[in-house]
Amino acid sequence: MSLQVEKQEKNMAKLTIEVSAEEFDQAMDKAYRKNKSKMSVPGFRKGKVPRQMLEKMYGPAIFYEDAANIIIPDAYAKELENSDLDIVSRPEIDVTQIEKGKPFIFTATVALKPEVELGQYTGIEVEKSVVEVTEEEVNAELEKVREQNSRTIPVEDRPVKDGDIAVIDYEGFVDGVAFEGGKGENHNLTIGSHSFIDTFEEQLIGKSLNEEVEVNVTFPEEYHAEELKGKPAMFKVVIKEIKEKELPDLDDDFAQDVSEFDTFAEYKEDVKAKLTATKENEAKNKKEEAVVNAIAQGAKMEIPEAMIETQAVQMTDDFARRMQSQGLSMEQYFQFTGLDAQKFMEQMKPQAEQRIKNRLVLEAVAKAENMTASDEDVDKEIENMASMYQMEVDKLKELVSDEEKEQMKQDICVQKAVEFVVDKAVEK
């Protein structure tokens, strides 16, 4: 095998990889063995037709595609392992020569990691942040916990009011015709939550138990269902139950129920402390982001589009996994937002580019300041991970590969660079 590298503009490179005719023939033989059980020729049992016979009947090209798919991943990986190229995108593969008895040649167009010319990275000016937790914020948090610990009780002696939970059956009609997805039974609707469109909830206020109500609304112009956008609709609603929330008193008993504290005063102080810690962490993250963004803005680098696309794909996959953990597919997300895969990817690209810039400048700072990560640093990181995932440290160490340890070292150096530039920043 051989590798030729042709550097191109904007940190792109075209790799030409040549595989010997002998190795290509071996891949052809693997392709034959993979497919022979599917092929039959009169006079031969199925799966027993010689390769030479099949190539004579159909031509050797019958195995070319599978042979290429067999040989390309290994050949690409082996050549990269022996090179000093720092590739930061998926390869765009193009087969340039494929013929029996000749070397197999293909190209891989890739993005290379850009060189970074740092500008100023110490003494960056950032706005001074003041962390303060108000009494109103503490009370709002207490009310949130109070709501979470409320109970619902049935109401039979009065009509629906704001804040109630109405259990309803409903069916929607547009131009007198019921529409798909417009029917529900025993639906719990919190009045004032604005989870239903337009003034649907407000029109139930003042209505009584078992009352049949006609609710008239208009679908918004940006509604996800094309056939309902901007359309007036009428819902037939039956109020089957009315329930109201009963909130606990904010006293010592409440504190003992929801926390480890004996008195409400102690619990309230703890709530304030936690809100303060959250705000301090947010301020810390905001300061880090401002400093690193400023350094990235002052640095010079040429990021290839393929690198941005690769990062955007990764971010999209991460987003999809988060949505899935919440029980929502990307198809449903696109339906609700009116986006599609291409539009979503385009929206991701500016964030992807900024994330790349920030990482590159932090790596450059770490290099400029001769920052390193020791084996002890890695062990400490693994201990933290073991604690997080409730695993035994030794077992987790066994699972972490050398390659992953090297990646952890790079990440540790980047974090050291963050701490360095933030420490050197100037608040104004």
Side-chain angles (χ1 to χ4, degrees):
M1 268 192 303
S2 66
L3 170 68
Q4 292 181 347
V5 180
E6 179 189 343
K7 297 286 182 71
Q8 298 178 330
E9 293 182 344
K10 297 184 178 179
N11 288 305
M12 296 296 291
K14 186 176 184 179
L15 318 181
T16 301
I17 299 172
E18 182 176 318
V19 181
S20 70
E22 182 183 356
E23 288 178 280
F24 180 58
D25 190 65
Q26 290 170 1
M28 288 275 284
D29 199 54
K30 287 180 183 179
Y32 157 71
R33 283 187 271 115
K34 174 185 173 184
N35 292 286
K36 66 179 182 178
S37 61
K38 306 171 190 175
M39 298 177 173
S40 59
V41 172
F44 292 91
R45 282 185 297 160
K46 196 169 186 179
K48 298 297 182 180
V49 187
R51 175 183 158 190
Q52 293 80 1
M53 177 71 72
L54 291 170
E55 290 182 355
K56 186 176 180 181
M57 292 179 66
Y58 302 107
I62 189 174
F63 299 123
Y64 283 177
E65 183 176 351
D66 282 330
N69 289 335
I70 289 167
I71 207 165
I72 286 172
D74 285 344
Y76 177 75
K78 284 177 183 176
E79 289 299 331
L80 260 59
E81 189 177 346
N82 297 324
S83 75
D84 58 356
L85 297 173
D86 199 344
I87 293 171
V88 290
S89 73
R90 297 174 180 177
E92 186 178 317
I93 302 295
D94 184 31
V95 175
T96 58
Q97 179 171 291
I98 182 167
E99 187 176 343
K100 185 180 178 180
K102 292 185 178 181
F104 174 72
I105 303 173
F106 68 97
T107 62
T109 303
V110 295
L112 301 179
K113 190 174 183 177
E115 292 290 330
V116 176
E117 184 182 332
L118 284 170
Q120 180 185 353
Y121 63 87
T122 59
I124 300 296
E125 290 190 348
V126 289
E127 292 289 338
K128 186 174 183 178
S129 58
V130 178
V131 175
E132 180 185 4
V133 174
T134 65
E135 186 73 10
E136 289 77 13
E137 289 171 323
V138 174
N139 289 337
E141 184 64 22
L142 291 170
E143 281 300 319
K144 189 190 299 181
V145 179
R146 195 180 180 207
E147 283 276 349
Q148 292 167 353
N149 288 272
S150 65
R151 67 188 186 99
T152 57
I153 56 175
V155 175
E156 296 182 354
D157 58 351
R158 63 164 176 79
V160 175
K161 69 177 184 180
D162 194 25
D164 281 347
I165 299 169
V167 181
I168 62 172
D169 291 348
Y170 62 89
E171 185 172 16
F173 301 83
V174 171
D175 298 329
V177 179
F179 58 87
E180 186 178 353
K183 188 174 183 179
E185 294 181 349
N186 297 317
H187 182 84
N188 284 270
L189 177 62
T190 300
I191 307 302
S193 65
H194 303 292
S195 56
F196 272 33
I197 63 167
D198 203 12
T199 58
F200 188 105
E201 294 163 27
E202 288 89 332
Q203 293 180 58
L204 298 184
I205 294 175
K207 306 303 180 183
S208 302
L209 191 65
N210 298 318
E211 185 174 349
E212 296 183 6
V213 185
E214 286 192 1
V215 174
N216 293 287
V217 294
T218 301
F219 283 96
E221 292 292 342
E222 65 276 11
Y223 196 66
H224 61 82
E226 190 68 34
E227 67 277 9
L228 297 177
K229 288 182 177 180
K231 293 284 184 69
M234 184 273 286
F235 284 83
K236 293 181 178 179
V237 182
V238 178
I239 300 173
K240 299 177 73 175
E241 294 179 61
I242 303 172
K243 296 183 283 188
E244 67 178 355
K245 290 181 182 178
E246 186 176 71
L247 300 174
D249 293 329
L250 294 175
D251 54 18
D252 291 348
D253 288 338
F254 174 76
Q256 291 164 19
D257 286 341
V258 301
S259 73
E260 70 272 23
F261 298 102
D262 293 325
T263 68
F264 178 70
E266 290 174 306
Y267 172 58
K268 184 176 180 180
E269 194 60 37
D270 182 65
V271 169
K272 183 175 183 179
K274 286 177 179 175
L275 286 174
T276 301
T278 298
K279 279 196 168 187
E280 286 174 345
N281 191 53
E282 289 172 351
K284 175 177 174 287
N285 291 338
K286 187 177 179 181
K287 182 178 179 180
E288 287 180 359
E289 184 179 6
V291 172
V292 177
N293 283 349
I295 296 170
Q297 189 174 359
K300 293 180 181 178
M301 67 194 89
E302 193 170 28
I303 301 175
E305 183 65 24
M307 186 180 186
I308 297 171
E309 288 178 0
T310 299
Q311 180 68 48
V313 168
Q314 183 181 324
M315 291 169 65
T316 300
D317 291 343
D318 291 343
F319 182 86
R321 280 190 287 272
R322 289 198 302 273
M323 289 292 101
Q324 191 174 19
S325 69
Q326 297 172 25
L328 193 68
S329 69
M330 286 301 286
E331 288 73 19
Q332 290 170 317
Y333 176 79
F334 291 151
Q335 186 182 31
F336 294 147
T337 59
L339 295 171
D340 57 30
Q342 186 176 354
K343 288 179 183 176
F344 184 82
M345 185 70 70
E346 288 302 316
Q347 284 189 1
M348 279 290 186
K349 282 186 177 181
Q351 299 175 47
E353 184 175 7
Q354 189 63 55
R355 186 173 294 187
I356 291 167
K357 286 181 176 179
N358 289 358
R359 174 80 185 198
L360 289 174
V361 296
L362 289 170
E363 289 178 354
V365 168
K367 184 177 179 181
E369 295 295 326
N370 298 313
M371 294 175 180
T372 58
S374 65
D375 291 338
E376 289 74 19
D377 290 330
V378 173
D379 287 342
K380 186 176 179 182
E381 186 66 24
I382 291 175
E383 287 171 13
N384 292 337
M385 290 169 62
S387 176
M388 185 186 305
Y389 296 117
Q390 297 182 334
M391 292 179 65
E392 292 182 19
V393 175
D394 290 340
K395 285 188 177 179
L396 184 56
K397 282 183 178 179
E398 291 175 7
L399 296 174
V400 178
S401 67
D402 291 341
E403 185 179 342
E404 287 170 327
K405 286 180 181 178
E406 284 305 311
Q407 182 60 53
M408 289 170 69
K409 285 186 177 182
Q410 291 178 30
D411 293 341
I412 290 167
C413 286
V414 164
Q415 187 54 43
K416 287 182 177 182
V418 171
E419 293 165 4
F420 174 82
V421 295
V422 170
D423 184 58
K424 297 294 184 181
V426 178
E427 290 186 329
K428 58 178 181 179

